């Protein structure tokens, strides 16, 4: 045992205590704001939102699909390590999986607060509707979270066991419990874990692509009443932009956690690999969106044209030009263009954050404009901008996600104890 | 207290109260003549009626009254009397004591219980319950007759007592052409009760579903308020109940609600369905079930709205829906509405 403990350093958590305090203070403010806003939301009901019967879906739904996208994207990045065994990616496997789990939890919080009857959130598991995409989605999300947790377990189990062997008392019980009592650290047990990790990943890939995120796109695309969403390309774009945001998130998390928690230096090759992935996804995302836009406009369907006019020239057009085009495509593309920048952690954190924030606007521009146009001539036009309660609750739920992530990062061996690749 | 004739208010004509009473007395049918038409004993009837008035005035107690007539009524009406609960027994304001009621020869129990029981018997008919009728309800709206007065919208709001922001029916006004060649069409829009309803298709908990009579129901006890059905409806017919009220406009506006889909939910209360649920036109199912037309049809100034059984080829609506003037809104959506319009 003594040899092992000298071989593996396990000291998770912030390197700098002042930074830890500052970070928890920020997250605490987020959560407190959110708690108060949630209180207002629960006591005041849906009337505390700016939603109407014309624009029934708003910020919460936009954030919900945003976080589902982040999760699916981060998960798919993790499969590059554990299923496709891309060289050098193993280092970020657990980071990606853990971020995917937290994102999904946050997504479900957004679904929950969006329900007119929050107390009936479990009803979809009692009553179903075979033809409803939403009914399927709810089940897919649960299965997907199950897969994610299974994967994280098999990916991390051996390190949990190693830590349990080295610690004592409560901490030992804690890590042993997380390892579900399987404390064997032999080669054999490790290859068993890796086999099952791969299997779970193989099940997870179609689940994430077709059911979880593709399905969320389908949820919108099946709405024949809304021509803007009613396209076959729509779910595909959904998946691509998910990959884009997920990769960006993993990149940010990797750099920040390596620097601030592990106190290590970032592997420039790995960073470059992620950066190149990002370039690929930006190009595909932009190209598909352009095709979709072109088809929509070429169809000369009045509904489509007017929706695009709302997006490009309406009162919210700034979110399209600045956030969607600027932050998620152009700005990151510029930063990704130089090889030396791609190997500079600070620049890549900036790139990643830019994408992660830009995609929020993409989600808003998916959800809102299609509802502004009335479904029939003669019915009123809608308009929507979230209320403070909607913003506040959103900040709060994001804060809960950050808190959970930080707590996890401070206790779990998210960085493989043996270093990078196995 | 101050209703004497001399107590007139300035500007209000004095209608002699005594004259009015005399008029009522005049109009009142002669009890003897009335009772002569029925088989039962006329004298007993008159005696009971007069004593009943004394009970009402408080000169006689309910107990005394029933003890006095129990035997005679039993003899006169036999089974019909013995098996019917005593009408004086009621949960709210009972005028006969329980002991007396039990000593009587008629059945014990309130009229309410009888009503419930007989309703249940009716409900046990084949496939009973709301919306199980043999008809397939359809509406035909004649656009040539519609004057765009929005009476239907108002009638609907008061019948269904919908909150602010919820309007099961709207009249869409469309202007065509350019000045001076402008025409205007008014298109009333209820829920189309589609045969292939996208709203039903998307509901994750099957809270909204089609009934046998063709009406699309919403189960307020199951709806989770996700609003996916609003997104899916191509006619904008669905509304979310944000819990707003007309309390500023009308005192106790929420005290009475409409028994939509045959369920009486009592006063409107915060946090209680249908607040937080989806609402829409139900073709006034509760009225259809008792043989009445929907409020909008009944009220329509121009007689533009018609309601009937689309499956009965002789019905007016079936014939109108088959005429060459008939069309449906957004026919290419494939929803096949049960609301037809006449060009
Ligand atoms: S009009 Fe809308 S709400 Fe009514 S049945 Fe059709 S889809 Fe459903
Ligand atoms: S809002 Fe209610 S009725 Fe509409 S889809 Fe959701 S659960 Fe069904």
């Amino acid at each position: 045992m003594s040899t092992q403990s000298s071989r593996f350093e396990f000291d998770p958590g912030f390197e700098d205590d002042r930074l830890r305090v500052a970070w928890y203070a920020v997250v605490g403010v987020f959560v407190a704001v959110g708690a108060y806003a949630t209180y207002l939301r629960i006591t005041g009901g849906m009337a505390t939102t700016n939603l109407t019967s014309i624009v029934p879906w708003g910020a919460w739904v936009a954030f919900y699909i945003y976080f589902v996208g982040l999760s699916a994207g981060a998960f798919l990045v993790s499969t590059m390590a554990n299923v496709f065994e891309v060289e050098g990616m193993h280092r970020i496997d657990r980071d990606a999986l853990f971020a995917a789990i937290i994102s999904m939890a946050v997504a479900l919080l957004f679904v929950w607060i969006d329900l007119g009857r929050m107390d009936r959130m479990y009803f979809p598991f009692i009553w179903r509707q075979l033809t409803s995409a939403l009914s399927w989605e709810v089940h897919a999300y649960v299965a997907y979270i199950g897969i994610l947790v299974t994967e994280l377990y098999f990916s991390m189990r051996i390190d949990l066991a190693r830590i349990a062997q080295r610690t004592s008392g409560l901490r030992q019980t804690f890590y042993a419990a997380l390892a579900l009592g399987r404390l064997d650290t032999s080669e054999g047990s490790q290859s068993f874990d890796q086999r099952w990790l791969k299997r779970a990943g193989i099940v997870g890939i179609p689940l994430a692509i077709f059911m979880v995120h593709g399905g969320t796109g389908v949820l919108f695309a099946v709405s024949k009443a809304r021509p803007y969403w009613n396209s076959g390309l729509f779910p595909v774009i959904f998946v691509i932009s998910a990959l884009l945001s997920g990769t960006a998130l993993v990149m940010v998390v990797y750099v920040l956690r390596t620097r601030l928690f592990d106190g290590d230096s970032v592997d420039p090759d790995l960073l470059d690999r992620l950066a190149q992935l990002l370039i690929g996804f930006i190009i595909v995302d932009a190209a598909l969106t352009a095709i979709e836009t072109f088809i929509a406009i070429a169809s000369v369907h009045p509904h489509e044209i007017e929706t695009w006019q709302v997006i490009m020239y309406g009162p919210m057009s700034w979110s399209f030009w600045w956030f969607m085009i600027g932050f998620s495509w152009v700005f990151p593309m510029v930063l990704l263009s130089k090889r030396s920048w791609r190997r500079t952690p600070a620049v890549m954190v900036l790139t990643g954050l830019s994408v992660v924030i830009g995609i929020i606007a993409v989600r808003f521009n998916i959800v809102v404009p299609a509802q502004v146009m009335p479904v029939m001539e003669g019915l009123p036009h809608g308009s929507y901008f979230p209320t403070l309660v909607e913003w506040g609750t959103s900040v709060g739920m994001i804060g809960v996600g950050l808190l959970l992530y930080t707590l996890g990062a401070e206790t779990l061996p998210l960085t493989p104890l043996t270093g990078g690749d196995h | 207290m101050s209703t004497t004739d001399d107590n007139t208010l300035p500007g209000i004509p004095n209608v002699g109260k005594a004259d009015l009473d005399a008029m009522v007395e005049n109009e009142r049918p002669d009890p003897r003549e009335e009772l002569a038409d029925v088989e039962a004993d006329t004298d007993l009837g008159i005696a009971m009626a007069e004593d009943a008035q004394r009970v009402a005035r408080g000169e006689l107690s309910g107990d005394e009254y029933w003890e006095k007539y129990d035997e005679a009524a039993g003899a006169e009406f036999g089974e019909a009397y013995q098996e019917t609960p005593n009408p004086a027994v009621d949960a709210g304001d009972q005028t006969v004591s329980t002991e007396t009621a039990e000593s009587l020869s008629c059945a014990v129990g309130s009229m309410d219980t009888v009503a419930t029981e007989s309703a249940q018997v009716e409900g046990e008919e084949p496939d009973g319950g709301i919306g199980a009728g043999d008809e397939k309800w359809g509406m035909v709206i004649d656009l040539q007759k519609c004057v765009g007065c929005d009476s239907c919208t108002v009638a609907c709001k008061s019948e269904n007592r919908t909150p602010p922001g919820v309007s099961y029916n709207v009249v869409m006004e469309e202007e065509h052409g350019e000045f001076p060649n402008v025409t205007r069409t008014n298109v009333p829009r209820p829920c189309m009760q589609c045969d292939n309803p996208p709203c039903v298709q998307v509901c994750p908990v099957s809270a909204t579903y089609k009934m046998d009579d063709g009406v699309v129901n919403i189960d307020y006890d199951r709806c989770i308020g996700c609003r996916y059905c609003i997104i899916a409806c191509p006619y904008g017919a669905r509304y979310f109940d944000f819990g707003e009220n007309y309390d500023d406009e009308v005192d106790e506006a929420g005290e009475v609600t409409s028994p939509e889909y045959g369920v009486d939910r009592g006063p409107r209360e915060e946090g209680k369905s249908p607040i937080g649920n989806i609402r829409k036109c139900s073709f006034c199912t509760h009225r259809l079930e008792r043989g009445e037309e929907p409020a909008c049809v009944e009220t329509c100034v121009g007689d533009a709205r018609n309601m009937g059984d689309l499956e009965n080829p002789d019905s007016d609506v079936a014939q109108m829906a088959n005429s060459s003037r008939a069309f449906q809104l957004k026919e290419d959506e494939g929803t096949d509405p049960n609301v037809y319009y006449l060009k």
Side-chain angles (χ1 to χ4, degrees):
Chain A
M1 284 306 109
S2 59
T3 46
Q4 269 206 343
S5 50
S6 55
R7 256 174 61 207
F8 305 119
E9 282 268 340
F10 179 61
D11 175 28
F14 284 97
E15 291 285 294
D16 181 343
D17 275 339
R18 281 213 311 263
L19 191 63
R20 169 185 285 127
V21 173
W23 175 246
Y24 277 114
V26 170
V27 174
V29 169
F30 278 22
V31 175
V33 166
Y36 180 59
T38 307
Y39 164 77
L40 292 178
R41 151 72 179 93
I42 289 175
T43 50
M46 291 294 280
T48 54
T49 67
N50 267 345
L51 297 170
T52 57
S53 292
I54 304 166
V55 185
W57 281 356
W60 290 329
V61 171
F63 275 116
Y64 141 62
I65 60 174
Y66 171 74
F67 280 101
V68 171
L70 269 190
S71 175
F75 164 76
L76 291 173
V77 172
S78 85
T79 61
M80 288 179 200
N82 56 42
V83 178
F84 301 108
E85 289 168 8
V86 177
E87 214 188 313
M89 296 285 270
H90 187 64
R91 171 68 185 70
I92 52 155
D93 184 17
R94 297 174 197 171
D95 267 330
L97 282 171
F98 192 55
I101 293 174
I102 300 293
S103 299
M104 210 53 216
V106 174
L108 291 184
L109 281 180
F110 275 102
V111 176
W112 181 47
I113 200 161
D114 188 58
L115 293 184
R117 292 294 303 251
M118 292 171 73
D119 51 325
R120 295 183 180 171
M121 63 184 174
Y122 59 90
F123 276 22
F125 301 105
I126 303 180
W127 294 290
R128 298 179 174 80
Q129 170 65 271
L130 277 182
T131 54
S132 168
L134 192 53
S135 182
W136 283 92
E137 279 316 288
V138 176
H139 294 86
Y141 295 156
V142 173
Y144 173 65
I145 291 180
I147 291 281
L148 290 178
V149 172
T150 310
E151 278 208 65
L152 185 61
Y153 169 77
F154 282 120
S155 168
M156 206 163 59
R157 203 259 338 153
I158 192 153
D159 283 347
L160 290 170
R162 282 171 184 149
I163 300 165
Q165 284 172 357
R166 261 188 293 143
T167 47
S168 57
L170 253 169
R171 291 188 55 162
Q172 182 178 33
T173 328
F174 175 69
Y175 288 107
L178 284 183
L180 297 183
R182 288 180 54 235
L183 299 180
D184 187 357
T185 53
S186 66
E187 290 273 319
S189 77
Q190 182 169 20
S191 58
F192 174 88
D193 282 357
Q194 272 159 15
R195 212 163 46 241
W196 278 97
L197 174 59
K198 191 165 176 174
R199 284 179 190 162
I202 289 171
V203 177
I205 291 171
L207 189 67
I209 295 183
F210 297 113
M211 294 293 294
V212 172
H213 207 61
T216 307
V218 167
L219 201 138
F220 289 86
V222 291
S223 300
K224 238 167 83 195
R226 317 272 170 175
Y228 174 58
W229 292 334
N230 188 212
S231 112
L233 205 51
F234 199 76
V236 181
I237 297 183
F238 242 67
V239 174
I240 300 296
S241 54
L243 279 166
L244 178 56
S245 63
T247 312
L249 177 73
V250 172
M251 196 160 83
V252 173
V253 166
Y254 165 59
V255 174
L256 291 184
R257 219 180 46 79
T258 307
R259 278 291 185 78
L260 305 177
F261 282 58
D262 296 349
D264 270 347
S265 54
V266 171
D267 172 6
D269 289 331
L270 178 52
L271 199 58
D272 197 2
R273 207 166 291 135
L274 287 172
Q276 285 176 21
L277 266 178
L278 214 53
I279 297 179
F281 291 142
I282 291 179
I283 293 174
V284 179
D285 189 37
L288 289 183
T289 310
I291 293 174
E292 170 90 351
T293 316
F294 177 73
I295 296 175
I297 291 174
S299 76
V300 219
H301 190 301
H303 205 291
E304 295 259 20
I305 304 253
E306 281 177 61
T307 307
W308 273 104
Q309 273 173 348
V310 168
I311 295 172
M312 293 198 279
Y313 310 112
M316 298 287 287
S317 56
W318 53 268
S319 75
F320 175 76
W321 296 109
W322 285 100
F323 283 83
M324 192 165 155
I325 306 263
F327 282 8
S328 64
W329 295 340
V330 179
F331 185 55
M333 255 333 218
V334 172
L335 295 183
L336 288 164
S337 59
K338 257 173 89 171
R339 184 165 181 275
S340 62
W341 285 348
R342 289 201 299 269
R343 305 175 81 83
T344 315
V347 178
M348 284 304 100
V349 168
L350 197 63
T351 313
L353 284 178
S354 165
V355 172
V356 167
I357 289 168
I359 298 284
I360 297 180
V362 175
R363 300 310 184 210
F364 270 80
N365 274 317
I366 284 171
V367 173
V368 180
Q371 303 172 69
V372 169
M373 294 301 306
V375 282
M376 276 195 297
E377 199 189 330
L379 292 176
H381 281 246
S383 71
Y384 171 77
F385 193 79
T387 57
L388 280 180
V389 169
E390 288 176 87
W391 287 122
T393 49
S394 303
V395 163
M397 287 182 282
I398 293 169
V400 168
L402 293 174
L403 182 65
L404 290 177
Y405 187 85
T406 318
L407 289 177
E410 292 222 75
T411 46
L412 299 175
L414 290 182
T415 308
L417 294 185
T418 42
D421 271 38
H422 36 224
Chain B
M1 273 154 267
S2 56
T3 47
T4 54
D5 279 353
D6 345 315
N7 217 350
T8 49
L9 291 166
I12 296 187
N14 184 354
V15 262
K17 194 164 157 287
D19 294 347
L20 291 183
D21 288 350
M23 279 165 74
V24 174
E25 199 52 34
N26 239 345
E27 284 298 310
R28 204 163 70 93
D30 177 41
R32 208 156 273 285
E33 257 170 46
E34 290 292 307
L35 288 177
D37 289 346
V38 290
E39 272 175 39
D41 182 351
T42 303
D43 289 329
L44 177 65
I46 292 191
M48 282 181 81
E50 278 169 1
D51 276 344
Q53 287 177 2
R54 290 175 58 207
V55 175
R57 287 196 295 268
E59 295 162 15
L60 187 74
S61 81
D63 290 4
E64 282 166 338
Y65 176 84
W66 284 106
E67 273 157 13
K68 184 169 167 191
Y69 290 110
D70 187 42
E71 208 174 307
E76 182 65 30
F77 302 107
E79 261 184 36
Y81 173 74
Q82 276 139 13
E83 280 172 13
T84 311
N86 188 310
V89 177
D90 230 324
D93 37 19
Q94 186 162 330
T95 54
V96 62
S97 71
T98 317
E99 301 87 68
T100 313
E102 271 165 13
S103 72
L104 299 175
S105 59
C106 57
V108 181
S110 69
M111 290 309 273
D112 276 357
T113 56
V114 188
T116 325
E117 273 165 25
S118 55
Q120 271 166 359
V121 173
E122 275 167 34
E124 274 160 20
E125 281 167 20
D127 298 327
I130 195 101
D134 290 332
E135 298 90 352
K136 184 190 176 195
W137 295 115
M139 191 184 280
V140 179
I141 303 175
D142 189 338
L143 297 182
Q144 298 298 327
K145 287 182 174 177
C146 173
V147 296
C149 66
D150 257 315
S151 297
C152 44
T153 311
V154 176
C156 173
K157 278 206 82 83
S158 52
E159 171 68 32
N160 290 298
R161 309 195 68 95
T162 48
V166 177
S167 186
Y168 296 168
N169 184 82
V170 296
V171 180
M172 305 183 297
E173 292 171 358
E174 287 173 29
E175 250 175 32
H176 299 283
E178 268 177 39
F179 182 81
N181 299 318
V182 198
T183 57
R184 184 173 190 153
T185 326
N186 305 302
V187 186
R189 192 246 40 215
C191 163
M192 305 288 138
Q193 319 294 353
C194 307
D195 260 359
N196 304 314
C199 56
V200 169
Q201 182 198 331
V202 301
C203 178
V205 292
S206 303
T208 190
Y209 57 92
K210 217 161 157 58
M211 299 191 288
D212 290 348
D213 64 4
V215 174
V216 172
N217 189 324
I218 303 174
D219 183 347
Y220 292 146
D221 292 324
R222 192 185 286 188
C223 169
I224 57 175
C226 68
R227 311 186 292 293
Y228 196 7
C229 51
I230 304 193
I231 297 289
C233 171
Y235 303 97
R238 291 186 160 241
Y239 295 83
F240 185 77
D241 190 333
F242 284 90
E244 283 163 59
N245 293 304
Y246 285 116
D247 284 343
D248 292 343
E249 288 82 2
V250 185
D251 263 351
E252 305 188 334
E255 280 305 299
V256 181
T257 53
S258 154
E260 288 178 85
Y261 308 104
V263 187
D264 189 354
R265 289 171 191 277
R268 186 170 162 83
E269 277 162 31
E270 225 174 273
K272 196 176 98 177
S273 286
I275 293 173
N277 295 135
I278 291 303
R279 308 188 58 176
K280 69 163 190 75
C281 157
S282 64
F283 268 4
C284 279
T285 309
H286 57 286
R287 290 173 61 98
L288 290 175
E289 294 280 318
R290 51 179 197 237
E292 292 169 15
E293 291 185 314
C296 57
V297 175
E298 195 173 76
T299 212
C300 179
V301 174
D303 198 18
R305 285 181 172 242
N306 305 273
M307 167 61 72
D309 182 2
L310 283 176
E311 262 165 15
N312 172 4
D314 297 329
S315 74
D316 287 350
V317 286
Q319 282 168 2
M320 283 190 270
N322 277 328
S323 84
S324 56
R325 283 173 64 206
F327 72 99
Q328 298 157 309
L329 289 183
K330 291 197 171 183
E331 278 167 9
D332 53 357
E333 292 273 344
T335 47
D336 195 7
N338 282 317
V339 173
Y340 290 82
Y341 293 85
L342 301 182
K343 299 194 243 273

